[in-house]
Amino acid sequence: MTSSTGNKRVKGEVQIWLSGMGLAIGCLMVGALLALILWRGLHVFWPQEVLHFKIAEGEQTVEVFGQVKDRGASGVRDENDEFIPQISLFTGHREVFGISYRTVREPLVLESRVAQGVMVADRVSGGAGMFLPSHLVPAEGDEIKADDPAFVDELRKLVRQGNRLRRQIRQIERIEIGRVNDRIQAEERHLRAARRAGAENLEEIRAEVERNIESLNEDFARLAAQAGEKRQELELARIHFRLGDGSEHEHAVSNITRFHYPNQLSLGGKLAEFGRGLWAFLSQEPRDSNREGGVFPAIFGTFVMTILLAVMVTPFGVIAAIYLREYAKQGPLVRTVRICVNNLAGVPSIVFGVFGLGFFVYGVGGFIDGGARHPWPSPLWVAAVVGFFAVLTAAVLMGLRLSPAPGKPPAGKLLGAIGGGLWVLAAVLLLGVVAKNPYFGGFFAADLPTPTFGTGGILWASLTLALMTLPVVIVATEESLAAVPRGVREAALACGASKWQTIQRIVLPGAAPGIMTGVILAMARGAGEVAPLMITGVVKMAPSLPIDGEFPFIHAERKFMHLGFHIFDLGFQSPDAEAAKPMVFATTLLLITLVVVMNLSAILIRNHLRRKYAASSF
Amino acid sequence: MTTSQPEATPTPNSAVGHDPAFIEVERFSFWYGAAQALFDISLEFPERRITAFIGPSGCGKSTLLRNLNRMNDLIDGVRHEGDIRLDGTSLYDPAVEVISLRKRVGMVFQKYNPFPKSIYENIVFPLRVAGRGSRSELDETVERSLRGAALWDEVKDKLHESAYSLSGGQQQRLCIARAIANRPQILLMDEPCAALDPVATLKIEELMMELRKEYTIVIVTHNMQQAGRCSDHTAFFYLGRLIEYAPTLQLFESPAKEQTEAYISGRFS
């Protein structure tokens, strides 16, 4: 007891340890999650050894080629409560086995050895293939045995040819036939519009439309025949192969899109194959109900949606925050608004989805398609138009009168309330005038009952998410506006700048990095969201991208694919869930990568801004 | 520079009131909400002279200064009585626009506050917000203002670098250059040297003596030596009241009021 603090611990040290431990656990969990996703996601593309298995199945022995995807992770208990580990075996060949995975109790595996000469093929139908090739039958010429040195080159040539043919067929079926279909629809729309308008020469129009459609149908038949020919061509060259049990099978060479011999690959070859697999995943469209192929449309859809979301949420959020922070008189009303905005951030996203469906899709979309469902009668509408302009004029005059003249006390509270009320009334009237217009019949009325904008689409999905992420942007912008030092504001005002000039030239540039932070957070939240998208425009398989070479290039009304929904669809809606599992990991990895890349670019922009306006202290 | 030595005080050449009064403050009272900050103040400042406001913290000197360009209008719930006239017109005349008033009255703040922009853009900011932007005019203004603020030689080669690359004293002189870019008639300085070291302070004081030839300067300072060194007239405020207003030499050497004497001799602060 010589000194009062002697060997005692300094108070509060335990709390430091605790908080450090909390952080460490958090970091560990996030790191483990990322590592798992990274490992499982990239592992999918690594060419794995194929083994020849002999498995006891009852009295018989089954022989298959397979890749071990999971060993000992799962298992069952037998009647003696003894644990029997299971292995998860990927065998491919759905067309033969029905499923491409099988789960086997490890003791039942009698023998497994590396299968020499096995080829792993990425196929259009039936999932991946694992087989011993026996011979090729080209369209013309002699068959080529698998042990012929020319076999691999010839096969590669034929596979390439098949890929090219499939691209051509796609071009014909999707683009050219699509164009003919569009024109047929346009003709039909023309006829419907004429009928609706009660045209006098309806018969003439009908005759002309029918003539046009007939000639278009001929085009269609010609294109369809072309595609059919190419399809037949696809079937000409055949490949014969044997499975693990020695059974002989054959199918068209064109069924194979890519192939490799995993057991003979060097490390370099494996890396190259890994790269090819990854690239195919990134660049191709999904096939075979999304189980095979790539996810390019989903990447693109996610990207476009997130960009649209950022473009829409930023101006709204920034404008709202500027008004709240800079102009609005701080009082109970503004506080209430702020609390409401913050609470909006806590509303479940599916609620926003339902709102988006009801308001944007059915309300606004339906209006764009077919005009007002219950328009006001003309006299009422005209009265509303007149009323709107009258109220608007009154509100502007009031505003001019209300802005405090130099040296005079600002207008009273009552007058202020009346002025605000006039603006609200004007806004309501404007809404009514637009939404209840009896003279507006919709832009796509001729297509009805097929909706154009009145159904889910990328525009509505982005708008819904923009609404959902609005609070994030508002809060971040408000914070960064408040962080702009008072000194520079006063300096700007003292230089003779008006309030708006101060905000525009000094405050906003200073707050820009903070605003960017808000947009980054909004993008990150929006890009990973799935629930509201499922009802506002995301589909399992979209026939075309939201942006393409067809006029008008940006098709905001189109449905789209999304990585988040893709994960849900693969993992939980797929009949062959085990086969889809690797794809789930790969897609998850991709979604995270996409979000990280978009955030990184936004952060780079922010850092650039920060350097430019070096004063900011965010 | 006429005054390189601190004690070489410029002599106020006449008693208050002999010069034409340029700024007149008449029975001016001011409230922040319910709290009264200024009590019935009457003052006249002559043209092209330096007037210093001294007094302990919270005595209202900054409040009065910030009323001269109506910066206090920005605060909610303020109210005033009485009048301030600039060159004969009331600041509160309905015909006077605050923005054009602030173009006539430049202001330099206690903490140097250049904009997060280049040196060049800082100085042309008052012109840009006034909508004047011809290249030659801007260039000419930058050089004139920087020369006026004795900063030209130090920064002429890096006009397009960030203003934050300058030292504190340079930044404050940049703020002075910005304040005189629009050729105001009056320059208000709110403790311009409070955040600066003695060398930079000396430079600013020398600069004030130069600026005095062209501008009417009002300076708020806590530094009695500074008031003594460079002002022509000094006003002493205490608790929102004007206690004494006289030519600087007279106020410092033979103060009429006991409170003034107590303050300048350091018996309270």
Side-chain angles (χ1 to χ4, degrees), chain A residues 329 406-408 486-488 490-498 501 505-506 510 612-615, chain B residues 66 70-71 74 92-94 96 99 102-103 107 109 113-117 125-126 128-129 164 178:
Chain A
K329 200 173 150 70
K408 290 215 176 124
R486 197 185 149 88
V488 290
E490 286 189 338
L493 291 167
C495 284
S498 67
Q501 283 173 322
R505 289 164 187 259
I506 301 296
K612 200 163 153 200
Y613 308 110
Chain B
R66 292 165 66 91
R70 290 183 54 185
M71 282 302 272
L74 304 171
Y92 297 96
D93 190 308
V96 171
I99 288 170
R102 291 192 187 134
K103 284 172 190 156
M107 186 159 184
F109 295 82
N113 51 5
F115 302 130
K117 293 169 180 281
F125 182 82
R128 289 213 192 273
V129 296
Y164 292 97
R178 182 178 65 191

Side-chain angles (χ1 to χ4, degrees), chain B residues 14-73:
Chain B
S14 62
V16 180
H18 291 199
D19 286 326
F22 193 63
I23 307 173
E24 300 165 77
V25 180
E26 195 183 304
R27 303 191 62 95
F28 191 77
S29 301
F30 190 80
W31 288 263
Y32 292 110
Q36 186 165 5
L38 294 176
F39 295 84
D40 199 27
I41 288 178
S42 295
L43 268 178
E44 290 180 350
F45 310 147
E47 198 175 0
R48 296 183 197 215
R49 290 290 173 272
I50 299 178
T51 307
F53 291 176
I54 60 171
S57 294
C59 69
K61 51 194 192 310
S62 284
T63 303
L64 181 60
L65 187 82
R66 292 165 66 91
N67 265 310
L68 297 181
N69 67 348
R70 290 183 54 185
M71 282 302 272
N72 277 337
D73 287 15

Side-chain angles (χ1 to χ4, degrees), chain A residues 556-598:
Chain A
E557 81 285 1
R558 281 192 185 163
K559 297 197 187 303
F560 65 109
M561 291 176 70
H562 185 272
L563 284 172
F565 182 73
H566 200 75
I567 293 169
F568 171 71
D569 181 61
L570 277 177
F572 306 98
Q573 307 285 293
S574 157
D576 194 0
E578 196 65 25
K581 212 160 102 184
M583 289 288 268
V584 170
F585 279 108
T587 313
T588 308
L589 177 64
L590 195 60
L591 179 57
I592 292 177
T593 314
L594 189 71
V595 171
V596 168
V597 165
M598 280 198 287

